[in-house]
Amino acid sequence: MTTDTSLDLRMTRILPASPEEVFDAYTDAEKQKIWFSILDEEPGIVEIEVDLRVGGRQTAVWGPDRDTLFREVQTFQVIDRPHRLVTESTGSTPDGMTMTTHIEVTFDAVDGGTLVTVVQSGFPAVEVRDFFSQEVWVGALNRIEAYLKSVATGD
């Protein structure tokens, strides 16, 4: 069996909080419900359930309305709070397309906060990988950063 590593995504970002705070923002359902929509101009639907244990699942359903919902189910394979999280993720779009990938996120303390490193593999095409690296992860990390800043300032 061979893997096409050219389809792997790897990105990093420094977030302004401790590894514990970033890990918790990333994995806690109530915090996710806030940051998932923190930058939206119009409120949408965000439903999240998390069973944070090896073998447990996180289920997220979100979108602008009931007719346009995205869904992601992540099964936790490794949980090393606050350093590392490994999941198998199966996502689906409102039109029924599905994709399963492997995601590893690490949280390392650095001056100024936490270096978050995301490695995701299993993309079916370069275009999908590029969409995730340029839109999906950038958007998620922007939202988490906005959430962490709002918590730090009490907004």
Side-chain angles (χ1 to χ4, degrees):
M1 181 167 123
T2 62
T3 57
D4 185 349
T5 57
S6 68
L7 293 181
D8 290 359
L9 172 157
R10 180 183 173 83
M11 65 181 307
T12 61
R13 174 94 163 260
I14 295 176
L15 295 178
S18 71
E20 291 82 4
E21 292 166 316
V22 177
F23 186 95
D24 290 348
Y26 185 79
T27 59
D28 180 273
E30 296 309 310
K31 293 173 182 172
Q32 288 180 38
K33 288 176 187 175
I34 296 168
W35 66 254
F36 247 77
S37 58
I38 199 167
L39 299 177
D40 293 348
E41 292 179 21
E42 295 286 326
I45 295 166
V46 177
E47 299 171 355
I48 299 174
E49 295 177 6
V50 177
D51 180 9
L52 189 60
R53 62 180 175 80
V54 172
R57 292 190 170 150
Q58 170 182 299
T59 302
V61 178
W62 72 96
D65 55 57
R66 288 271 166 217
D67 295 327
T68 316
L69 292 176
F70 295 84
R71 180 181 186 84
E72 180 182 29
V73 177
Q74 293 193 55
T75 302
F76 297 108
Q77 297 176 329
V78 176
I79 301 170
D80 179 15
R81 181 187 185 273
H83 309 290
R84 182 171 169 247
L85 189 68
V86 178
T87 63
E88 179 179 270
S89 169
T90 300
S92 61
T93 61
D95 61 5
M97 292 179 58
T98 63
M99 176 179 73
T100 299
T101 61
H102 180 83
I103 303 170
E104 179 174 352
V105 184
T106 57
F107 307 84
D108 296 304
V110 296
D111 285 342
T114 299
L115 175 65
V116 177
T117 302
V118 177
V119 177
Q120 188 170 5
S121 59
F123 292 103
V126 170
E127 297 79 15
V128 178
R129 180 209 59 206
D130 291 351
F131 175 73
F132 269 71
S133 69
Q134 297 164 10
E135 300 290 331
V136 174
W137 281 107
V138 169
L141 295 171
N142 285 347
R143 291 168 188 273
I144 295 170
E145 182 172 0
Y147 168 78
L148 293 167
K149 287 179 176 177
S150 74
V151 169
T153 60
D155 289 341

